[in-house]
Amino acid sequence: MQAIRSILVVLEPDRPEGLALKRAKLIAGVTQSHLHLLICDRKGDHADYLSDLADSLKAEGYSITTQQSWLDNQHQTIIAAQQAEGCGLVIKQHVPDNPLKKALLTPDDWKLLRYCPGPVLMVKTDRPWTGGNILAAVDVGNSDGEHRTLHATIVSHGYDIASLAHGTLHVISAHPSPMLSAADPTFQLKETIEARYREECRAFQAEYDVSDERLHIEEGPADVLIPHVAHKLEAAVTVIGTVARSGISGALIGNTAEVVLDALESDVLVLKPEAIIAHLEELVAQR
């Protein structure tokens, strides 16, 4: 996160609390990143609003550019701006859809998480980050190359956020429930499953300097456990990642991240491996 030179901030003038901008100012204050402010609107003229806001932020010492734009929909507008400006992070306030609409249509924030080539920080609360707990969600049971690289990215960003917020990084990893039908007896008993996971975590803990007190090994589905542990820790930010799965684009975000987005009470940072980022950039370029 320290290497981010430019941040895209999605502004919504009808949401005066400006949660995305507050987080962007906090990060830019430490990283000295440039802030590119974007309003996605095809109708109204927000030139005066953007000009006044830019002047105010420049007076505070921030580097600012502004843009009002609209393509076919909000997520494509955001992604086009992110690519054109070379932004290393997108920050947006999460607006949950009502359940009926969500059942019929894929929420726009989900689409942004799926298709944006860069990291996306969804701001859900005005809870201060300062001195808070940061939760990084990893899958220690998956130790293939792609997951290992993603784990490194997730934990690194978690430590960066903890550093700039003077907070504490915690890590959660979910393990499967016991199955009597499992061929390996290790996976038939809860105690042996957890012991095996704890053992696998030793190398992970040593590599990333995570103490036992800050490592949370839980049994069950990740989309349930991550919000549960985040709530228990009163986490300010939860960092999650995704690897490729089959789908139309071949690089869709996992269901876990989408479900977790609505269930979490914290802000959510979603990261992707380099291979997915490169593939998504190709898809954007083809449009």
Side-chain angles (χ1 to χ4, degrees):
M1 183 161 282
Q2 297 289 349
I4 293 172
R5 299 272 60 90
S6 183
I7 299 173
L8 176 62
V9 188
V10 181
L11 299 178
E12 299 175 80
D14 59 335
R15 296 183 180 276
E17 64 269 30
L19 298 184
L21 184 57
K22 287 180 182 176
R23 296 297 190 242
K25 290 172 66 177
L26 171 67
I27 296 170
V30 175
T31 62
Q32 304 303 306
S33 302
H34 172 79
L35 299 181
H36 184 69
L37 312 181
L38 171 68
I39 292 180
C40 302
D41 191 346
R42 75 179 113 193
K43 299 172 184 173
D45 181 3
H46 300 282
D48 290 343
Y49 170 79
L50 285 171
S51 178
D52 290 346
L53 182 57
D55 289 344
S56 173
L57 291 168
K58 286 174 183 175
E60 294 179 44
Y62 295 98
S63 171
I64 301 292
T65 49
T66 64
Q67 177 186 0
Q68 179 179 340
S69 180
W70 184 262
L71 298 180
D72 294 336
N73 49 54
Q74 188 188 56
H75 75 274
Q76 286 188 12
T77 306
I78 295 169
I79 293 169
Q82 182 262 337
Q83 289 290 284
E85 299 296 324
C87 296
L89 175 66
V90 174
I91 303 182
K92 182 185 181 299
Q93 182 174 342
H94 174 54
V95 183
D97 281 314
N98 68 65
L100 177 59
K101 183 178 178 183
K102 190 188 299 183
L104 299 173
L105 300 168
T106 303
D108 222 54
D109 281 356
W110 286 15
K111 291 178 183 176
L112 179 62
L113 294 184
R114 287 182 184 183
Y115 299 118
C116 183
V120 179
L121 174 63
M122 286 289 184
V123 185
K124 298 194 63 177
T125 169
D126 61 358
R127 179 189 301 164
W129 284 10
T130 306
N133 287 322
I134 313 303
L135 181 63
V138 298
D139 183 4
V140 177
N142 268 316
S143 56
D144 59 77
E146 191 174 33
H147 276 90
R148 283 182 60 81
T149 303
L150 185 58
H151 292 164
T153 303
I154 291 170
V155 176
S156 172
H157 277 74
Y159 271 124
D160 283 348
I161 295 172
S163 175
L164 73 85
H166 304 291
T168 304
L169 178 68
H170 290 254
V171 176
I172 177 175
S173 184
H175 68 75
S177 300
M179 293 183 295
L180 292 176
S181 59
D184 185 342
T186 304
F187 293 105
Q188 293 179 4
L189 295 173
K190 176 180 178 179
E191 292 75 17
T192 51
I193 292 178
E194 185 162 336
R196 180 163 169 170
Y197 252 70
R198 287 270 174 203
E199 193 56 43
E200 289 179 349
C201 284
R202 293 298 173 209
F204 173 87
Q205 288 180 263
E207 185 174 357
Y208 298 110
D209 189 25
V210 178
S211 65
D212 288 345
E213 299 76 35
R214 295 187 292 114
L215 177 68
H216 306 270
I217 304 291
E218 302 274 352
E219 173 199 329
D223 55 358
V224 174
L225 292 174
I226 294 171
H228 170 71
V229 173
H231 176 77
K232 187 167 65 175
L233 293 173
E234 296 184 342
V237 188
T238 303
V239 186
I240 57 179
T242 178
V243 295
R245 74 173 191 204
S246 60
I248 295 173
S249 74
L252 297 183
I253 193 167
N255 282 329
T256 298
E258 295 173 348
V259 174
V260 163
L261 176 62
D262 286 337
L264 279 166
E265 299 163 5
S266 69
D267 294 347
V268 189
L269 176 64
V270 179
L271 307 170
K272 302 182 183 75
E274 289 296 326
I276 291 185
I277 291 173
H279 180 66
L280 290 173
E281 285 176 340
E282 289 177 12
L283 291 176
V284 174
Q286 290 168 9
R287 286 203 177 108

